[in-house]
Structure formats: structure tokens, C-alpha cells
Amino acid sequence: MTALKNDRFLRALLKQPVDVTPVWMMRQAGRYLPEYRASRARAGGFMDLCMNAEIACEVTLQPLDRYPLDAAILFSDILTIPDAMGLGLYFETGEGPRFRKVVDTAEAIEALPIPDPEKDLGYVMNAVRTIRKELNGRVPLIGFAGSPWTLATYMVEGGSSKDFRKSKALLYDDPKAMHMLLDKLAQSVTSYLNAQILAGAQAVQIFDSWGGSLSSAAYQEFSLAYMQKIVNGLIREHEGRRVPVILFTKGGGLWLESMAATGVEALGLDWTCDLGVARQRVGDKVALQGNMDPTVLYANPAAIEKEVGRILESYGNGPGHIFNLGHGITPEVKPENAGAFINAVHDLSAKYHQD
Ligand code: 1CP
């Protein structure tokens, strides 16, 4: 395997010294880039893009060719798992993801198969292998999956939701059925992430995008408990290196201590948390990733730099911070503003890493 030329992302995840704070952006390959829109049109559609290893690799590298990012993230989607369980994922133009089949009864949950990652999701592993080869050690590659709770919301609702009406009703009406669904998803996500690691992913992130919609009690029982199961089952060393795990619960600021106790290397924070306070709360346990409000990228470059400076100052001196947005970059952002953001992180952070 080729040696890594830039490993500051992996080093920061392990709280090892770095020269500047590493940075990447959630959803860094995507609709805000004209070259992404062109590749997507050439592929035919979003799922065609995910299933074509060459084009998935091409769009993974597009943001890296524009900006000095410190990590690449596999181009795929969290909804590949429910698709492989037979739900039939599709995208209508201009709309979010939809499923042909909804899973909202105990019987439907019972009938769900647990996908075999190499057999049923082989296209994802092919993309991982292709990207690793093409990266040739430039930066580390992040693999990812959705959390069981976040995936369950899409499966029960049949797509995106604002209020999670059906998924929360099922959780309270029939907690046993919800637990069965979450357990199947935890098993599926564990083997899916392990297959990504064996195929070449050098760190993995679990996206719990909708964990923050739950009450504290329900979060512990229906989201965190299943992420803990996944973490317990993950391969933690590969190619002679630690494979760090990042847990991102959007809206999870109240639960940082229990998230840190799962044994992951890092927590992803949304923009509602104060990074300095979060650092005090988790102590030496985990590194922190985040957490600029993605809408700051609609402002001018000077305002973006100011906000980057404020966040760096709030984390303070020393390693253990990976700069990111507090959620994904949005399609309306001007690509040059993303560039101003990334350059500001590198330019302004050196002084926090001097001893
Ligand atoms: O129209 C298009 O081209 C599709 C837009 C798109 C893109 C670019 C979707 C559909 N997925 C993706 C890629 C994607 N999704 C990545 C790629 C790697 C990168 O970050 O560059 C990743 C990591 C995801 C993860 C994902 N998908 C999440 C978790 C992260 C988050 O933003 O909270 C979620 C919730 C999804 C579901 C999904 N897939 C696509 C969309 C538009 C959505 C969100 C729908 C919703 O808000 O409910």
C-alpha cells in the first residue's frame, strides 16, 4: 500500500500533533459543484452515479482537485443499505430520496433480509477500491454509513420527513418492532462498514442525522445503544494503522458525554455547540470534528474567515480538532466561498499547533 502523503486528518483523530488543523466538508462532493452536476448527468441519475465505480471515484476527487482538503469521503449514500434490503430507493428530480416499499409493521420488519456487503453492496466496495487506488496516498479516505435510527426513519416514512410522525409513532406504539428493525440495521451497518474498511476506508463516520429529533431517553435507547453495538463490532486496526470512528449526531449536543463513552475516536458536532465547552466536557476521551454553521458559506469571504477564526479560538491550542461544517454543505453555496473557508482553516490554525 502507498504511504500517506498527508495524514493530518488521521493524526488529529488520534489527538496526535499536526502542523495545521485538518479540514474536510460533509457533502463535499455534490450539487454546489458544476463538475458534479455534469458527472451526475453523464451517469444518468444519482443511483447510476453511485453504482459506477469510475464516476463515483471521479466525483469523490472533484472537491480535492479544487481545494487543499485533508480527507476524501466515499461518494455514496446512507440509503444504500435499505435499498439492498429490498426497499427500492429512487430519486425524483428536484426531490429527496423515496422508497417504493415502506416498512411500518412488525411483519414487514421481520421479513427484512440482512444484506451481504460484498454480494449485495459490491458496487460500494468497488468504488472504495477504485478511489483508494486513484488517491494514491494523497489524503485518507473516509467510509461511512447512516445510524440505525436515521436509516429507520427513512424506511418507516418512505422517504424524508420533517416531523418523523410515522417512525416515532412506531417507536412508542410497538417498541419491540422498532428494536427489531434497529437491531437488523445495526448488524447490517457493522458488516457494511467492516467491508468498507477491508476495501480500503481509513476512517469511518456514522451519520446520525436525525438522532437529535429524539427525547433524551429515546436517544439512549433507540439511537445510541445501536451505534454502540456497531462500534463494538468494527474492525479497529487495518493496514497496520488504527481505523478511527467518528460519531455524528446532529442535535446531539446534550449527549456528548455518553457519545464519548462509546469508545469512538471522535465526535462530530453541529453548530449549536460551543466547541470550547464541548472540549471541556469530553476531556481527553475523544477528538472533536466541526462545527461551522454551513449557512455561513452564503456570506462573504471576510465573514467566513472571521467565523473560522472564532471557532479555532474556541477550541484553543493543541491537536484533536478536525475542522468541518456542522452539517452538509448546501447546493446553493458558491464554490469560491468553500475555497475561502478551507484556506482560512489552514492559514489561521498554524498558531494553535506551535508546541
Ligand atoms: O441530486 C443529487 O445529485 C443527489 C444529492 C445527494 C448527494 C450528493 C444525495 C441524495 N446523496 C448525496 C451524497 C451523499 N450522501 C454523501 C457523499 C459524500 C460526500 O459527503 O461528499 C454522503 C456522506 C451522504 C450521506 C447522507 N445521505 C446523509 C447523512 C448526512 C446528512 O447530510 O445528514 C443523509 C441524511 C442522506 C440521505 C439523502 N440522500 C440524498 C439526499 C438529498 C438526502 C437527504 C434527504 C433529507 O434531507 O432527508
Side-chain angles (χ1 to χ4, degrees), residues 237-260:
E237 298 271 342
H238 188 58
E239 301 175 37
R241 268 190 110 123
R242 185 88 180 155
V243 183
V245 182
I246 308 163
L247 208 63
F248 170 69
T249 289
K250 182 162 175 283
L254 285 172
W255 309 310
L256 298 183
E257 291 82 356
S258 44
M259 288 165 72

Side-chain angles (χ1 to χ4, degrees), residues 104-180:
D104 53 3
T105 60
E107 295 71 45
I109 291 167
E110 197 137 19
L112 282 173
I114 292 173
D116 174 319
E118 281 292 347
K119 215 170 93 238
D120 305 319
L121 291 152
Y123 66 92
V124 178
M125 308 316 146
N126 286 339
V128 172
R129 286 186 279 264
T130 307
I131 298 162
R132 257 311 281 282
K133 195 155 150 264
E134 208 53 38
L135 275 172
N136 195 26
R138 221 161 124 186
V139 291
L141 175 62
I142 307 168
F144 70 92
S147 74
W149 165 250
T150 293
L151 294 176
T153 65
Y154 286 97
M155 295 170 75
V156 176
E157 309 281 344
S160 304
S161 170
K162 284 202 166 64
D163 54 8
F164 308 103
R165 189 159 52 86
K166 291 178 69 188
S167 31
K168 287 194 184 179
L170 180 68
L171 182 157
Y172 289 107
D173 277 338
D174 193 349
K176 248 180 87 190
M178 182 52 89
H179 278 302
M180 197 200 311

Side-chain angles (χ1 to χ4, degrees), residues 4 17 28 38 50 63 94 100-101 112 115 165 169 176 207 218 259 270 285-286 293 295 300 303 309:
L4 264 175
Q28 63 191 20
C50 292
R100 293 204 164 79
K101 209 168 115 189
L112 282 173
R165 189 159 52 86
K176 248 180 87 190
F207 285 94
M259 288 165 72
D270 70 26
K285 269 215 153 102
V286 286
D293 182 344
T295 61
N300 66 69

Side-chain angles (χ1 to χ4, degrees), residues 185-329:
L185 285 166
Q187 289 180 52
S188 307
V189 169
T190 307
S191 61
Y192 182 58
L193 286 177
N194 280 339
Q196 290 185 31
I197 292 167
L198 294 175
Q202 290 150 296
V204 292
Q205 175 155 324
I206 302 170
F207 285 94
D208 187 23
S209 304
W210 311 129
S213 71
L214 293 167
S215 71
S216 281
Y219 175 74
Q220 302 287 338
E221 183 181 343
F222 294 92
S223 188
L224 192 63
Y226 291 92
M227 295 198 284
Q228 178 76 68
K229 279 198 176 183
I230 294 166
V231 173
N232 293 347
L234 287 179
I235 297 168
R236 303 303 284 275
E237 298 271 342
H238 188 58
E239 301 175 37
R241 268 190 110 123
R242 185 88 180 155
V243 183
V245 182
I246 308 163
L247 208 63
F248 170 69
T249 289
K250 182 162 175 283
L254 285 172
W255 309 310
L256 298 183
E257 291 82 356
S258 44
M259 288 165 72
T262 55
V264 295
E265 278 71 16
L267 304 184
L269 305 181
D270 70 26
W271 62 94
T272 62
C273 302
D274 180 283
L275 197 53
V277 174
R279 188 182 186 182
Q280 280 173 5
R281 283 172 54 194
V282 299
D284 277 338
K285 269 215 153 102
V286 286
L288 295 173
Q289 175 175 281
N291 70 340
M292 192 173 89
D293 182 344
T295 61
V296 174
L297 296 178
Y298 296 137
N300 66 69
I304 294 169
E305 279 163 32
K306 189 167 164 225
E307 189 59 8
V308 167
R310 186 193 65 74
I311 292 168
L312 287 169
E313 182 60 31
S314 118
Y315 187 82
N317 284 316
H321 179 208
I322 300 94
F323 218 115
N324 205 315
L325 304 172
H327 200 199
I329 186 169

Side-chain angles (χ1 to χ4, degrees), residues 80-119:
T80 51
I81 286 192
D83 186 55
M85 289 174 143
L87 270 66
L89 174 63
Y90 68 98
F91 288 85
E92 301 278 23
T93 332
E95 276 182 49
R98 307 285 318 159
F99 287 114
R100 293 204 164 79
K101 209 168 115 189
V102 170
V103 177
D104 53 3
T105 60
E107 295 71 45
I109 291 167
E110 197 137 19
L112 282 173
I114 292 173
D116 174 319
E118 281 292 347
K119 215 170 93 238

